[in-house]
Amino acid sequence: MIMSQKRQNVMIKGTKDGFILKLDDQCGYDVLKEEMVEKLSVQYNSIEDHAVKAKIEVGNRFLTDDQKEELKEIVHRQKSLIVEEIYSNVLTVEESNQLIREREMSSLTGIVRSGQVIEVEGDFLLIGDVNPGGMIMAGGNIFILGALKGVAHAGCYGNNEAVIVASQMTPAQLRISTRLNRAPDQDDESHEMECAYIDENDQIVVDRLQVLRHVRPGMTKFEGGR
Amino acid sequence: MGDAIVITSGKGGVGKTTTTANLGTAIAMQGKKVCLIDTDIGLRNLDVVLGLENRIIYDLVDVVEGRCKVHQALVKDKRFDDLLYLLPAAQTSDKSAVTPEQMKELVEQLKQDYDYILIDCPAGIEQGYKNAIAGANRAIVVTTPERSAVRDADRIVGLLEQEEVDPPVLIINRIRNHLMESGEMLDIDEVTTHLSIDLLGIVVDDDQVITAANKGEPVTLNPDSKASIAYRNIARRILGESVPLMAIAEEKPSFFQKIFSLIGKK
């Protein structure tokens, strides 16, 4: 029985959250694919429930987006399992740089003037004003040490958790993710040290800076201290 | 080696040409050799304001296209012996007749012979603007205390900050004292904090500016007008002197002055 002594490239584990498919990272991709089809085609009577979820762990194997789709397709076709996540230990340099950019805080000291558009992928810190007609777009949060009189767009690639903070909050428009809010036509109040975020009603609200601690506790990255 | 200063605003009608003419005149009155360049090709009028319209033989486009030498195109202002010259714009071509590289070369050439070269920029931020700023090493932004003008000035300052010129300085033109006092017009502080660039000077709105421009003689030649004093102060600041900002508030007549004026009326 030579076949049975062959290494198992695909291992299926059942957990209470669904199945975990552990794939070997040393064999060839085509071998892996074949074995997956084979393993999954074995009839398990117990799983006829369509809502079962699965996770794929590929170890140190790098998969392209096409390959990921292919694996998901195989799993779905054979067993109607829904693949929630493909977990790999490997990233391309480009992907890791993208992650760094998304987590990075870029800063600028100066004034964003009319007609100027600043776009960053991560958080943005401006030390200066945004004048009317100027615009800031950030994939993450926007912090302005100065007056926001132009347009600020936080979470511009679709992050609803993003916030906008300004020393003087008198914007022409606020945008967070896909929501938009414009300044009232008549407003004589002073707006100092304020923040804007999307509340539970899916609206952009502007409030005192201090509330941010409660509505966005995940923003704190600092640990320790005494 | 002279200084090349571009006078620009973004918005039209805020007084770039008037400012160029008057500052040129005022600097020449200080004994410096000045050359004014009108870069508003197709819509020239610096020559009209200076009253030199009928002396134009060649123009800016003739120079860059090699039809004449620079000194042939320069129009001398006879009121100042050999100190004030104008290089007029062409009226028949358009802005694309000149490139920024050609302007740069021309200004470099003029810098050898003149202390100050003032470049009058057309409105807008297109080709004409790019030509005007190409050769300049300093920039003056003119605005009026109106929201629309300040917005455009802000845009221009942003564009100038990306160029190889010294940080631009600001002239606030057409200040109307009573509107500013009543708060119906932006005040000087609001404009300067908004633009956050250094203030070079302020010029009050003065009817004599218009009448003088119509006669073809810059208001600076009239020693009494308020605008004239403002322009001469600005000119001295450009030359490096420190001159305090003019008080814009008109002095209220005192009790005795009122009585005297009443007696005088009788």
Side-chain angles (χ1 to χ4, degrees), chain B residues 31-76:
Chain B
K32 300 284 180 194
K33 215 172 165 195
V34 184
C35 178
L36 308 178
I37 307 178
D38 188 352
T39 58
D40 205 347
I41 302 166
L43 291 164
R44 72 173 178 210
N45 41 38
L46 184 55
D47 50 321
V48 182
V49 175
L50 286 163
L52 300 173
E53 192 181 10
N54 48 22
R55 297 187 204 184
I56 297 171
I57 299 162
Y58 292 113
D59 56 45
L60 179 61
V61 175
D62 292 328
V63 175
V64 297
E65 289 184 354
R67 281 195 288 271
C68 70
K69 294 269 188 296
V70 186
H71 67 89
Q72 287 177 295
L74 291 171
V75 183
K76 185 159 97 178

Side-chain angles (χ1 to χ4, degrees), chain A residues 102-164:
Chain A
E102 279 170 18
R103 274 162 182 69
E104 222 170 30
M105 157 111 65
S106 337
S107 66
L108 173 81
T109 310
I111 295 170
V112 179
R113 297 181 184 275
S114 177
Q116 296 181 331
V117 180
I118 308 286
E119 187 173 346
V120 298
E121 288 176 59
D123 288 357
F124 186 68
L125 170 66
L126 176 71
I127 303 161
D129 299 345
V130 183
N131 276 353
M135 183 167 181
I136 293 179
M137 293 172 76
N141 306 307
I142 297 173
F143 308 101
I144 298 166
L145 281 175
L148 170 59
K149 292 179 273 186
V151 178
H153 191 173
C156 62
Y157 310 121
N159 176 6
N160 288 350
E161 293 291 297
V163 300
I164 301 166

Side-chain angles (χ1 to χ4, degrees), chain A residues 20-224:
Chain A
I20 296 174
L21 279 80
K22 280 197 171 171
L23 309 186
D24 185 75
D25 54 18
Q26 298 303 313
C27 67
Y29 177 71
D30 289 331
V31 178
L32 189 73
K33 224 167 66 178
E34 245 168 62
E35 203 176 316
M36 259 179 90
V37 176
E38 192 188 314
K39 276 263 167 67
L40 290 167
S41 60
V42 178
Q43 207 65 54
Y44 291 97
N45 292 326
S46 57
I47 39 166
E48 284 306 313
D49 186 358
H50 285 230
V52 176
K53 289 167 186 162
K55 236 189 220 173
I56 302 179
E57 287 178 11
V58 296
N60 292 334
R61 180 190 295 275
F62 176 75
L63 292 175
T64 64
D65 288 345
D66 287 345
Q67 289 173 332
K68 283 181 187 170
E69 278 310 307
E70 207 173 5
L71 292 188
K72 280 186 190 177
E73 180 57 34
I74 291 170
V75 176
H76 187 70
R77 203 174 53 222
Q78 299 294 333
K79 277 285 169 279
S80 306
L81 295 174
I82 296 151
V83 179
E84 269 191 319
E85 192 190 354
I86 296 182
Y87 183 80
S88 167
N89 293 333
V90 201
L91 283 177
T92 60
V93 173
E94 200 187 315
E95 280 171 331
S96 69
N97 283 343
Q98 174 73 21
L99 280 175
I100 292 169
R101 280 199 297 274
E102 279 170 18
R103 274 162 182 69
E104 222 170 30
M105 157 111 65
S106 337
S107 66
L108 173 81
T109 310
I111 295 170
V112 179
R113 297 181 184 275
S114 177
Q116 296 181 331
V117 180
I118 308 286
E119 187 173 346
V120 298
E121 288 176 59
D123 288 357
F124 186 68
L125 170 66
L126 176 71
I127 303 161
D129 299 345
V130 183
N131 276 353
M135 183 167 181
I136 293 179
M137 293 172 76
N141 306 307
I142 297 173
F143 308 101
I144 298 166
L145 281 175
L148 170 59
K149 292 179 273 186
V151 178
H153 191 173
C156 62
Y157 310 121
N159 176 6
N160 288 350
E161 293 291 297
V163 300
I164 301 166
V165 178
S167 313
Q168 190 198 323
M169 185 71 96
T170 45
Q173 255 182 32
L174 289 175
R175 300 179 192 175
I176 298 175
S177 185
T178 54
R179 317 301 187 285
L180 186 147
N181 204 346
R182 74 173 172 81
D185 291 325
Q186 197 65 42
D187 186 10
D188 300 322
E189 287 172 48
S190 81
H191 291 275
E192 286 183 348
M193 298 298 169
E194 291 191 324
C195 65
Y197 57 91
I198 297 181
D199 69 356
E200 58 274 15
N201 303 323
D202 223 16
Q203 293 285 318
I204 297 179
V205 291
V206 177
D207 207 339
R208 285 165 54 238
L209 191 60
Q210 285 77 3
V211 304
L212 210 53
R213 208 180 114 213
H214 306 292
V215 294
R216 291 287 183 274
M219 266 179 72
T220 304
K221 299 213 175 79
F222 174 77
E223 280 170 27

Side-chain angles (χ1 to χ4, degrees), chain A residues 111-116 129 131-134 149, chain B residues 151 154-155 157-159 161-162 194-197:
Chain A
I111 295 170
V112 179
R113 297 181 184 275
S114 177
Q116 296 181 331
D129 299 345
N131 276 353
K149 292 179 273 186
Chain B
R151 194 64 49 87
D154 191 40
R155 177 97 172 94
V157 173
L159 292 172
E161 280 172 347
Q162 290 160 22
H194 186 112
L195 296 175
S196 60
I197 58 174

